[in-house]
Amino acid sequence: MTTVQSPPTPATAVRPRVVARTGLYALLAANVAAVTYFAADAGLGSGALVVLGRFAGLYGALLMAFQLLLVARLPWLDRRIGMDRLTRWHRWTGFGLLWTLVGHVVFITCGYAGLAGSTDPVGQLVDLAETAEGVLRAVVALGLVLVLGAVSARWARRRLAYETWHFIHLYAYVAVVLAFTHQIALGTTFTASSAATAYWYTVWGAALGAVLLGRLGLPLWRNLRHRLRVEAVVPESDDVVSVYVTGRDLDRLPARAGQFFLWRFLTRDRWWQANPFSLSAAPDGTRLRLTVKAAGDGSAALRHLRPGTRVFAEGPYGAFTTLHRTRPDAVLIAGGVGVTPVRALLEELHGHAVVIHRVTAERDAVLHGELRDLAHAKGADVHLVTGPPVPDRLSARDLSGLVPDIAERDVYLCGPPPMMRAVLATLRELGVPKRQIHFERFSLAG
């Protein structure tokens, strides 16, 4: 492929990821301060438990809105932080949300029961649900959050198909609407002043607007504009295939080497499946390429795609790009089919690069011929490391032997999770600064 070369990305004093992360922290802190101010301005009321419950509910509402922002897939945030990290932060924020909402219900119920002289908080909750407008909606919202928390636990997530997990998570938006209407009905802070009302409408409007823009509006607009379709399907080996996708005005699609899309191939039996596949070649303005190893029904079916098949792609996503360069030279470490974004990155990198491809046997070295030719043209070094996964063939001794100055380079890493964990530990042992290590767990992106 003829690549549209991007200009070298200059190393900046402040890294893009730091800028984005600091901005998110500052945004959250400013909103916590605003929520606290409006709550105090509205009056704390009587009863310590009731006050605690109200604050827990307000902070829970803020966390719910912040959660929506984290998974809105806004391009500016995604390119700087990465979908995998944003998803992980969303998950941990979700557990914080769960406990603040549980605390809200428990403290409020026990507080009102104490003020009423009752020793039956469950009965008090039932009375509130029957008599107070909006309480029943809040109880239903809490129930939905509890279900979502349960299916997000690691043991449950591993047992659910992505489509099932995703469908269940759509109920989060029902919980958001129920919580918002509960806040309107009973939130004294919401109605205490016109400024407080405007603030909460802005918070919820911005959060929901970000989701609609990033998850719905932008993908629809891009697909209508570019009209993607399969151009060709090329077998690379017995179990690996490359799919070439073309469309209109692809030179205006803001995709970079190292990024991935969520691909839907609009066939009768696969249109509903979305799979995260990286670009295996740097975008050249006329076509996109993904290279996939058959690891399941969805990826195996790509071999049978017909040219002309319409494609719906969400993205580009990911922070595994040259935007985060900190050093002039780089090391690219790939395991198995994880070489696909690494091969694309090599096209876009400037400066000297060393590529290390870890496979079980030479026959598993996907795209190795392309990688070798590209490295020769760019003056890079390529090392193919073969052998069984155990014992580790990328130990500290091996890496330092292949790249003696590895601590002075950026390190890009992509491969199976066990291999990535082992290499990350090795990089720490070799003293490679954390800011120079770039990786992304693409499996979390789905």
Side-chain angles (χ1 to χ4, degrees), residues 280-300:
S280 60
D284 64 0
T286 61
R287 62 178 61 82
L288 306 171
R289 188 182 77 172
L290 56 146
T291 302
V292 182
K293 183 175 182 178
D297 293 341
S299 53

Side-chain angles (χ1 to χ4, degrees), residues 61 64 101 137-138 141 174-185 204:
M64 188 175 285
L101 294 186
R137 293 195 289 269
V174 178
V176 167
V177 173
L178 292 174
F180 180 55
T181 57
H182 163 71
Q183 190 177 17
I184 292 175
W204 286 111

Side-chain angles (χ1 to χ4, degrees), residues 14-29 66 70 76-78 80-82 85-86 88-89 324 434-435:
V14 182
R15 291 181 296 146
R17 182 173 292 130
V18 173
V19 172
R21 188 171 59 222
T22 302
L24 281 177
Y25 291 161
L27 179 66
L28 183 59
F66 190 65
L70 291 177
W76 190 87
L77 277 179
D78 183 80
R80 286 157 179 80
I81 296 178
R85 288 179 176 85
L86 290 171
R88 189 162 65 249
W89 295 355
H324 300 279
K434 186 177 181 180
R435 65 188 180 89

Side-chain angles (χ1 to χ4, degrees), residues 348-359:
E348 194 172 292
L349 281 172
H350 297 265
H352 183 259
V354 178
V355 182
I356 302 173
H357 191 189
R358 173 74 169 88
V359 294

Side-chain angles (χ1 to χ4, degrees), residues 245-265:
V245 175
T246 188
R248 300 189 311 183
D249 300 327
L250 290 187
D251 57 318
R252 298 188 179 185
L253 181 66
R256 298 188 65 166
Q259 291 190 299
F260 67 94
F261 289 78
L262 296 178
W263 302 92
R264 294 178 189 269
F265 297 95

